[in-house]
Amino acid sequence: MADRLSDAGDLSEEEEEEEEEEEDVLTPAELIARLEEAWLNEKFSPELLENKSELVECVMEQLMHMEENLQRVRKGDLKASVHRMEIDRIRFVLSSYLRSRLQKIEKFFPHVLEKEKSRADGDPSFLSPEEFAFAKEYLANTEVYLKAVALRHMPPNLQSIDMLKAVPEPCLDSFVFLRVKERQENILVEPETDEQREYVVDLEEGSQHLMRYRTIAPLVASGAVQLI
Amino acid sequence: CVNCHESEAKTEGKSELIPTIKFRHCCLLRNQRCITAYLYDRLLRIRALRWEYGSVLPTTIRFHMCAEELEWFNQYKKSLATYMRSLGGEEGLDITQDMKPPKSLYIEVRCLKDHGEFEIDDGTVILLKKNSQHFLPRWKCEQLIRQGVLEHVIS
């Protein structure tokens, strides 16, 4: 799918110059490839991953350009329907990505907020400012509701709930499928205990594995593996 | 009240009451957990309604919700709307649309109930009368299909 974008000559060449002036300028094809990677990672990871708001913004800009270009094309032209499909597909992937994130934010809201509050200034953020606001509102809304309906009728010492204890944490030990993008050596799968020796593997580039998420979590964040 | 007895028992040294008090407290905590679990589960279902039906709930469902739940729902859809509007540049992105991967541009739909006039992108107006069939752009129909106004006809 991504090839058709870059082949589409007059309709999307302009975007190349207009991309971010950061380290590398992404072609539309690369941008969409990155979006798909982020989408799959977010879909299959049990916890909320790093926030990719520049990616989202770039893709939205891309979609807007494509829509504008589409208006200019003569109706009934075959290229128009192909590009319309393209736009729909990209919009689906983007929406699905954002929905995955929102679902995880709602599911783990106290932990997500705690994590964001306690992170150091230099660390990358897990929530965009808008997501953070959404999570805070969700927490407040739920607390207000529970208090109004049930908690205020309870004995005085039971009128509050510790959300961090009440809401389950993401299960980092769940198994995920992954494909290795960069060769990794000496990944500790099982630590040494009295009953077993430590189990260490090397991950070859291009190989696919089924492992516990906890083991490879840092590799997902760095982009060394791709969840599938 | 029994809660006061707890502190009394501790101060007066009536230690034989303490196991009973602890047991009672555990029971109360369990009740609190059960109640909040039930209420929270309802909230999750109500949340799902926003994604299923959109911003306006059918009256039959609203009838089953208490005032506080309706308030929660209103707050939730406001939060969601604010978030969606903030996405990207101008008007934001409605992520409650595009729930399924697009398979084709146009789809055949049958109208299940009278819905009146419906305008599509190029300006043409379609009259959605019960049992009429139309060949319409997929992205325009998604919401109406979810609401039960149109039905996707797969031949």
Side-chain angles (χ1 to χ4, degrees):
Chain A
M1 172 190 111
D3 318 314
R4 244 182 270 131
L5 255 190
S6 43
D7 286 351
D10 50 52
L11 281 189
S12 37
E13 249 167 30
E14 313 150 17
E15 285 79 312
E16 294 198 31
E17 292 94 58
E18 295 184 49
E19 294 299 352
E20 300 293 285
E21 63 279 357
E22 291 178 321
E23 315 93 12
D24 47 352
V25 174
L26 291 176
T27 64
E30 284 171 3
L31 177 69
I32 301 306
R34 285 233 190 140
L35 173 67
E36 287 185 0
E37 280 172 14
W39 171 55
L40 290 173
N41 278 341
E42 197 71 65
K43 210 163 184 247
F44 296 120
S45 146
E47 62 170 354
L48 189 69
L49 297 176
E50 209 177 292
N51 152 55
K52 305 240 183 261
S53 27
E54 310 101 45
L55 187 61
V56 171
E57 268 173 41
C58 287
V59 174
M60 290 282 307
E61 254 180 60
Q62 178 81 353
L63 281 177
M64 257 169 28
H65 284 144
M66 290 176 80
E67 287 268 10
E68 281 169 17
N69 290 333
L70 208 59
Q71 301 299 335
R72 287 194 262 131
V73 169
R74 208 184 51 231
K75 211 183 292 297
D77 193 359
L78 188 61
K79 259 204 302 188
S81 25
V82 170
H83 281 288
R84 166 70 39 213
M85 279 292 264
E86 200 73 60
I87 293 175
D88 281 350
R89 285 201 190 102
I90 298 174
R91 206 178 42 235
F92 167 74
V93 172
L94 183 62
S95 293
S96 184
Y97 170 68
L98 294 168
R99 276 196 295 266
S100 281
R101 285 185 65 87
L102 221 58
Q103 268 162 25
K104 281 192 222 172
I105 292 172
E106 289 175 359
K107 195 169 178 189
F108 305 121
F109 63 99
H111 306 288
V112 157
L113 284 170
E114 189 60 35
K115 204 171 174 186
E116 190 69 12
K117 281 192 188 134
S118 59
R119 97 187 145 83
D121 274 328
D123 288 345
S125 64
F126 286 87
L127 299 175
S128 70
E130 296 81 25
E131 286 171 340
F132 187 63
F134 178 82
K136 278 203 302 208
E137 285 168 15
Y138 190 81
L139 173 69
N141 198 15
T142 308
E143 281 184 337
V144 161
Y145 167 76
L146 287 175
K147 201 162 289 210
V149 175
L151 293 177
R152 68 186 169 99
H153 300 294
M154 294 191 184
N157 57 339
L158 287 172
Q159 282 194 358
S160 64
I161 294 207
D162 183 357
M163 285 296 186
L164 281 170
K165 289 215 198 95
V167 175
E169 281 186 342
C171 176
L172 299 178
D173 288 318
S174 42
F175 278 79
V176 289
F177 283 95
L178 57 104
R179 180 173 46 237
V180 181
K181 280 162 53 181
E182 294 164 13
R183 186 164 195 280
Q184 301 294 317
E185 296 190 352
N186 289 335
I187 302 296
L188 185 64
V189 175
E190 297 284 351
E192 188 170 338
T193 63
D194 290 335
E195 288 126 20
Q196 62 190 36
R197 287 206 322 244
E198 60 171 18
Y199 180 20
V200 162
V201 294
D202 291 336
L203 298 177
E204 297 296 327
E205 191 176 322
S207 60
Q208 293 175 181
H209 302 268
L210 174 63
M211 296 171 95
R212 268 188 302 162
Y213 175 76
R214 197 189 290 272
T215 327
I216 46 96
L219 300 177
V220 177
S222 69
V225 308
Q226 166 77 49
L227 297 183
I228 52 176
Chain B
C1 76
V2 183
N3 295 313
C4 315
H5 288 315
E6 180 178 336
S7 41
E8 270 178 35
K10 285 195 181 133
T11 49
E12 289 177 23
K14 281 202 190 144
S15 47
E16 62 268 16
L17 281 179
I18 289 185
T20 314
I21 291 170
K22 280 201 174 143
F23 177 72
R24 180 179 174 272
H25 190 64
C26 279
C27 292
L28 289 179
L29 279 176
R30 182 179 181 274
N31 289 347
Q32 187 204 46
R33 274 206 320 274
C34 290
I35 291 173
T36 41
Y38 164 71
L39 292 172
Y40 190 62
D41 194 76
R42 278 180 71 91
L43 283 190
L44 292 180
R45 285 160 201 258
I46 293 172
R47 177 246 179 224
L49 292 174
R50 167 63 186 87
W51 290 83
E52 178 73 36
Y53 285 97
S55 309
V56 181
L57 293 179
T59 24
T60 40
I61 292 184
R62 266 213 303 268
F63 191 59
H64 288 299
M65 288 166 59
C66 70
E68 290 85 359
E69 284 171 340
L70 283 167
E71 178 58 31
W72 188 92
F73 180 78
N74 287 334
Q75 280 300 118
Y76 177 74
K77 51 173 208 203
K78 234 192 277 181
S79 281
L80 186 61
T82 313
Y83 171 72
M84 295 199 291
R85 209 167 26 237
S86 75
L87 295 169
E90 307 169 351
E91 304 159 352
L93 179 69
D94 186 352
I95 54 176
T96 64
Q97 302 298 316
D98 305 299
M99 297 290 269
K100 291 209 172 70
K103 283 236 159 72
S104 61
L105 268 186
Y106 281 74
I107 51 171
E108 186 80 25
V109 287
R110 183 181 302 123
C111 203
L112 296 175
K113 21 184 147 149
D114 280 325
H115 191 72
E117 292 187 343
F118 186 56
E119 186 178 337
I120 50 177
D121 286 332
D122 57 10
T124 32
V125 174
I126 311 258
L127 180 63
L128 294 179
K129 216 167 126 67
K130 187 168 172 179
N131 286 328
S132 61
Q133 263 184 238
H134 307 277
F135 194 56
L136 295 176
R138 190 194 44 79
W139 66 94
K140 280 295 211 188
C141 304
E142 239 196 55
Q143 177 119 36
L144 291 174
I145 293 177
R146 281 221 304 277
Q147 287 174 347
V149 174
L150 294 177
E151 180 190 40
H152 186 183
V153 175
I154 308 160
S155 47

